[in-house]
Amino acid sequence: MKLYRLLTEDDTSAFCHKVTAALNKGWELHGDPAYAHDAATGKMRCAQAVVKVVPGDYTPDTKLGEH
């Protein structure tokens, strides 16, 4: 099955670490990153989609973060 996750974080090094950790677990970048202002917090936020192919069948109970 092909899994999809959207990683988000404030615009700090924590975002880069989150994406780097996913890449090192076999996830691959999917599309361009996004960068937007969060009016509620007054901070800039980053987002990056990642995908990964793993064995098995998808169900709504699939724990995406465990792959």
Side-chain angles (χ1 to χ4, degrees), residues 1-2 6-7 9-10 13 16 19-21 24 26 29 31 33 40 48-49 51 54 56-58 60-62 66:
M1 81 178 125
K2 190 171 198 175
L6 181 64
L7 306 176
E9 186 68 51
D10 287 345
S13 63
C16 295
V19 173
T20 299
N24 281 282
L29 299 178
Q48 175 65 59
V51 294
V54 298
D57 295 318
Y58 172 77
D61 297 327
T62 301
E66 294 180 1

Side-chain angles (χ1 to χ4, degrees), residues 14-35:
F15 175 73
C16 295
H17 286 285
K18 185 182 278 190
V19 173
T20 299
L23 294 173
N24 281 282
K25 290 181 180 177
W27 291 85
E28 296 183 15
L29 299 178
H30 182 75
D32 294 329
Y35 190 66

Side-chain angles (χ1 to χ4, degrees), residues 37-55:
H37 183 258
D38 182 343
T41 64
K43 296 180 180 181
M44 294 302 289
R45 300 273 300 168
C46 300
Q48 175 65 59
V50 292
V51 294
K52 184 178 187 180
V53 176
V54 298

